[in-house]
């Protein structure tokens, strides 16, 4: 388990995929939360996250909407296709490491 787990918000439209994605992340030691696109804005207003993962199912307009709400404060990982667990974890780790490097620079 991670000593200070990153908080990750997964946004999408398929509750089953969101649950699976968060289970993979939680098993790897992350603090992962799932939210349907329709409720994402209220969650983003009330909580802070280290990373946001956008589902491949979201339209370009929906992704742009979330990106505009988040701004540059939080890194966003936009999935382009169905992503297997090992690939998801690799991409999350890379994105979080890039974010840490940017905050140190």
């Amino acid at each position: 388990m991670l000593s200070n787990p990153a908080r990750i918000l997964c946004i999408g439209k398929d509750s089953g995929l969101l649950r699976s994605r968060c289970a993979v992340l939680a098993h790897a030691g992350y603090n992962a939360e799932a939210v349907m696109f329709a409720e994402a804005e209220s969650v983003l207003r009330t909580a802070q996250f280290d990373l946001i993962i956008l589902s491949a199912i979201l339209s370009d307009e929906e992704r742009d909407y979330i990106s505009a709400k988040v701004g540059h404060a939080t890194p966003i990982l936009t999935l382009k296709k169905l992503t297997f667990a090992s690939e998801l974890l690799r991409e999350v780790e890379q994105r979080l490491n890039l974010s840490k490097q940017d905050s140190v620079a």
Side-chain angles (χ1 to χ4, degrees), residues 16-56:
L17 283 176
L18 289 171
R19 277 193 307 273
S20 296
R21 190 170 294 136
C22 284
V24 166
L25 294 166
H27 184 73
Y30 296 107
N31 180 355
E33 181 178 335
V35 66
M36 298 295 282
F37 174 77
E39 292 84 37
E41 185 176 354
S42 63
V43 172
L44 290 169
R45 264 194 311 242
T46 59
Q48 292 187 345
F49 297 90
D50 299 304
L51 178 66
I52 295 170
I53 299 175
L54 300 180
S55 173

Side-chain angles (χ1 to χ4, degrees), residues 4 7 28 32 35 38 43 52 62 65 72-76 86-87 89:
N4 187 17
R7 290 195 70 210
V35 66
V43 172
I52 295 170
E62 291 165 330
Y65 180 81
H72 296 290
T74 304
I76 296 175
S86 59
E87 183 181 357
L89 293 174

Side-chain angles (χ1 to χ4, degrees), residues 3 5 10 16 20 26 31 41 47 52 60 66 68 72 79 94 100 102:
S3 60
C10 299
S20 296
N31 180 355
E41 185 176 354
I52 295 170
D60 289 339
I66 295 297
H72 296 290
L79 301 177
Q94 288 173 348
K100 284 180 188 175
D102 288 346

